[in-house]
Amino acid sequence: MNPKTKTPPYYDPDAEPIMDINRIQQLLPHRYPMGLVDKVIELNDEEIVGLKNVTFNEAIFTGHFPTEPVMPGVYIIEAMAQCGGLLALKDAGEGERFSTYFLGIKEAKFKKKVIPGDTLLIRVNYITPVSHGIATMHADCYVGSQIAAEATFTARIVKQ
């Protein structure tokens, strides 16, 4: 998709989420300080939109950076990957546990500084859907109407 034609996801804070934090924690093993998706606001067979509220209370900001808090790029990438994991696990069996693992990342670009008080809207789309436990996805991360970061990554979904 051409970056000039990309539009940010619409977010209505009054709308009921598709997945709240309780459901996300049932699907993903991540916990504080690495739980980086607060809720899912859109989900279909090809796409997910997740939300991360960035707050000054997060542990990373004590050292990155004390006088100018900036969310590290690796955390932004991890938030994108967690949304991608939720997309890949969308049709997983209810009683079964699955894990998702990074196999590769490429074309990661950071375009806007992310700071406490920002809300990240993370849209992840399949490039190739899950086949034999492997999927390739593209993620765009927005702050307001601006793309803050984007990346293409490959993940493996493994039954525990």
Side-chain angles (χ1 to χ4, degrees), residues 102-116:
F102 261 133
L103 291 181
I105 186 165
K106 60 182 178 179
E107 300 173 15
K109 297 175 185 159
F110 303 95
K111 301 181 175 197
K112 181 181 181 347
K113 182 167 63 170
V114 176
I115 61 174

Side-chain angles (χ1 to χ4, degrees), residues 26-151:
Q26 288 173 350
L27 295 171
L28 296 179
H30 306 81
R31 298 296 183 265
Y32 178 84
M34 292 305 296
L36 298 173
V37 180
D38 293 325
K39 63 181 163 180
V40 171
I41 60 172
E42 292 179 31
L43 181 62
N44 60 49
D45 290 340
E46 298 295 319
E47 177 178 275
I48 189 169
V49 177
L51 183 138
K52 166 66 178 152
N53 290 305
V54 181
T55 72
F56 186 69
N57 291 325
E58 295 177 55
I60 193 65
F61 293 123
T62 59
H64 199 273
F65 301 104
T67 59
E68 182 188 359
V70 177
M71 188 172 193
V74 295
Y75 276 61
I76 297 168
I77 295 290
E78 178 63 24
M80 292 184 210
Q82 288 179 23
C83 280
L86 290 167
L87 176 61
L89 294 173
K90 177 179 124 5
D91 296 320
E94 279 296 315
E96 301 173 272
R97 293 289 301 162
F98 292 83
S99 294
T100 55
Y101 300 101
F102 261 133
L103 291 181
I105 186 165
K106 60 182 178 179
E107 300 173 15
K109 297 175 185 159
F110 303 95
K111 301 181 175 197
K112 181 181 181 347
K113 182 167 63 170
V114 176
I115 61 174
D118 285 344
T119 297
L120 299 179
L121 286 174
I122 305 157
R123 177 187 288 141
V124 180
N125 296 288
Y126 279 125
I127 294 172
T128 59
V130 179
S131 176
H132 303 289
I134 296 176
T136 303
M137 303 173 205
H138 180 81
D140 293 310
C141 184
Y142 293 85
V143 172
S145 62
Q146 295 181 321
I147 292 181
E150 62 182 299

